[in-house]
Amino acid sequence: MSLRLGAAAATATLGCTALAATGTAAAPIDTATPAGPGRPNIVFVLADDLGWADVSTGLANKGSGNPYNETHTIDRLAQEGIAFDNAYGGPNCVPTRAAILTGLYAPRPANNLYLVGDLDRGGDDTLLDGASQGLPDGDDALPAEAYTVGEALRDAGYATGYVGKFHVTKTADQITTDFGFEENLGGSNSGHASEYHAIDGTFNNSVGPALDRFAADYTQQYVDENIKPHSHGVTDAALDALVGTDKHVTDAVADATIDFIDRHKNEPFFTWVSNYAIHTPIGAKQPRADLLAKYRAKPAVPGHPANAPYSALLEGLDQGLARLVHHLETTPDPRNPGHPLADNTIVVVTSDNGGTANADNGWLSGYKGELREGGLRVPTAVWSKGEHLVDGGVVDSTPVHAVDYLPTFASLAGANLPRGLRPDGTDVSGIWRNANAELGARPLFWHLPGYLIAGVRDQRPETVIRSGPWKLSYHYETQDWDLYHLDSDIGETTDLATAYPDVTWRLGSRLIRWLDDVDAPLATLRDGKAPITVTVQGTAYSDGKITHYDAPTALTVRPGDEVPVLLPTAVTGR
């Protein structure tokens, strides 16, 4: 379901300001005729830990954007393109990146990633023991044989480049040897940048060494050409003070992306722009100095978090995006003479997971690392100057998931996927084109057979299905169900499982069938814990199979056994 914005939204919507094209003049470009039919370029921009309401626009978060933050470019793309307010990642970066890369849900063997680290991030005395994940040695990385979106587009004739954080790999070399990216500019097995600035022209070892080519100190020419045109509310003197200081990794990511685009604009290109921002560390040393000073001087907005270093890192990311968009709009397209690259390029901006305790998750409950909406829902915008690619000015409430990107990008590229590969996601490019493509109430799933208990987070073994407005969760420690109607209760405050037993049974049955389809592993009763005995009449799933019990049956779970999903027939009086 989508809502088309009025004409005024092109310049101002919910207090957002459109970004004027600025910077170095380019050759005149004819925009009077439609772009050519060549396969589109794809620029996929992934923020790290960007909360649902962190952006200043309200279009991607049902009006709950944070006006303290300034995300001028994301706001513009949401206004001119399609803003999705029901877009989802995973609970944290590893499962989301794996899902985007493979198009597969976590339990599939070619994915098998649920959390960063391991699934026992709750101490040694939790009731259950998390399942194993990742590679046989426990690394939270994809197997070399996983087929990725990089391979799909490379095999379809695209130039494929990866810029920034990768994480889900055993070695940096695999990004190019196994995962389909012809160039790797900064990716490694590191989960974050431990320091955002280079030191004397070199980033530390948390950033892949290929980005060092873009790590030289700021020069006056660089500041004048790349920062001043996209800066807001900062004096020229404050920007000039950057000259001679250490380069910020977010600017280096933008530099590397533009360099890749320029070298491959004669062919269709796919570039994955994986920002390190706004992941921790977050402190006074991490943002660019001009942005930190700006937010330190800015008054807080009641009802919204106001963390100056965090907001400064976020606006730095947004300025890098501004440079990319401006470059696409002002660079002639060799494959489509008379038009800029933007006429045949799709830009997708999203986040890997919901926000941390530093973020603004709006009305949502929960944080990164949890299966509450605040941990899963992400701001997302899709934009192009080519109306044949993105028919913009729309807020779309279709629930979309990280697994949708591989089939969507493969469809746009005309890629033939390997025989037998069936992505779990759906091609959503028809929604982008406003081609009357309705996905209906297709179910979306999340499965976490382990723990993440730390700080404000209290995530325990759980499986979730979302279908239409309904979200149903199964909790393995207590063997019970929670049901929420997200259209009327986005904050997940009122459990409706007993009030709507038919919905609980219907979605619970679908959840169990999905677990069986993907052969999902479950958490097991921890050694040393007393056996658990339950009586069930209905359906159960464990050990990779579904069992139906027509009469009341006592089940005993002993240490080392999987704790099953139980859906009693009595839930509906059937």
Side-chain angles (χ1 to χ4, degrees), residues 41-62:
N41 309 306
I42 301 168
V43 178
F44 181 69
V45 181
L46 187 66
D48 199 339
D49 293 355
L50 180 64
W52 189 59
D54 272 335
V55 293
S56 43
T57 180
L59 296 177
N61 46 50
K62 299 188 182 296

Side-chain angles (χ1 to χ4, degrees), residues 399 441-444 465-472 506-507:
R442 62 161 183 157
L444 304 177
I465 178 174
R466 171 161 183 184
S467 182
W470 295 104
K471 179 179 181 181
L472 181 71
R506 174 172 57 84
L507 295 186

Side-chain angles (χ1 to χ4, degrees), residues 2-20 55-61 65 69-85 232 318 321 325 329 347 349 379-385 387 390-396 432:
S2 62
L3 172 67
R4 185 163 296 279
L5 303 175
T11 55
T13 301
L14 297 174
C16 305
T17 303
L19 177 69
V55 293
S56 43
T57 180
L59 296 177
N61 46 50
N69 298 332
E70 296 183 31
T71 54
H72 299 273
T73 315
I74 295 174
D75 297 357
R76 178 197 166 191
L77 301 191
Q79 292 161 11
E80 296 179 1
I82 302 176
F84 286 90
D85 57 14
H232 302 265
D318 190 79
L321 178 61
V325 172
E329 290 184 310
V347 178
V349 183
T380 299
V382 179
W383 174 91
S384 177
K385 279 291 189 180
E387 292 185 2
V390 177
D391 186 12
V394 167
V395 175
D396 195 291
W432 299 355

Side-chain angles (χ1 to χ4, degrees), residues 215-410:
D217 291 354
Y218 291 107
T219 65
Q220 189 67 59
Q221 180 181 0
Y222 186 97
V223 170
D224 290 344
E225 294 180 356
N226 298 312
I227 297 182
K228 286 183 179 179
H230 309 292
S231 180
H232 302 265
V234 177
T235 66
D236 281 355
L239 296 175
D240 291 339
L242 293 172
V243 175
T245 66
D246 292 325
K247 176 71 74 70
H248 199 276
V249 71
T250 302
D251 290 327
V253 165
D255 296 339
T257 304
I258 290 171
D259 178 73
F260 177 85
I261 289 171
D262 277 345
R263 289 186 288 105
H264 295 284
K265 61 190 176 186
N266 289 301
E267 55 189 323
F269 59 79
F270 169 55
T271 178
W272 182 321
V273 188
S274 188
N275 286 281
Y276 296 93
I278 41 181
H279 195 290
T280 54
I282 297 166
K285 294 196 307 180
Q286 306 308 328
R288 239 176 37 212
D290 59 306
L291 291 170
L292 178 63
K294 169 183 173 175
Y295 282 97
R296 280 179 164 171
K298 188 172 183 178
V301 177
H304 296 275
N307 181 326
Y310 184 91
S311 299
L313 286 169
L314 174 54
E315 187 170 350
L317 182 155
D318 190 79
Q319 287 184 10
L321 178 61
R323 289 181 57 202
L324 300 184
V325 172
H326 176 69
H327 192 73
L328 293 170
E329 290 184 310
T330 58
T331 300
D333 185 351
R335 296 195 297 130
N336 192 16
H339 293 269
L341 288 171
D343 280 2
N344 201 36
T345 300
I346 296 171
V347 178
V348 179
V349 183
T350 188
S351 178
D352 52 359
N353 44 253
T356 65
N358 294 302
D360 191 344
N361 284 332
W363 302 307
L364 308 180
S365 64
Y367 303 93
K368 168 190 176 181
E370 298 181 310
L371 299 189
R372 306 286 278 181
E373 291 293 288
L376 297 174
R377 204 179 290 211
V378 292
T380 299
V382 179
W383 174 91
S384 177
K385 279 291 189 180
E387 292 185 2
H388 65 297
L389 299 173
V390 177
D391 186 12
V394 167
V395 175
D396 195 291
S397 294
T398 304
V400 293
H401 191 288
V403 295
D404 294 329
Y405 290 114
L406 182 147
T408 300
F409 294 164

Side-chain angles (χ1 to χ4, degrees), residues 101-118:
L101 282 161
T102 65
L104 300 174
Y105 283 122
R108 299 287 189 189
N111 184 333
N112 192 36
L113 291 170
Y114 307 89
L115 277 180
V116 173
D118 60 49

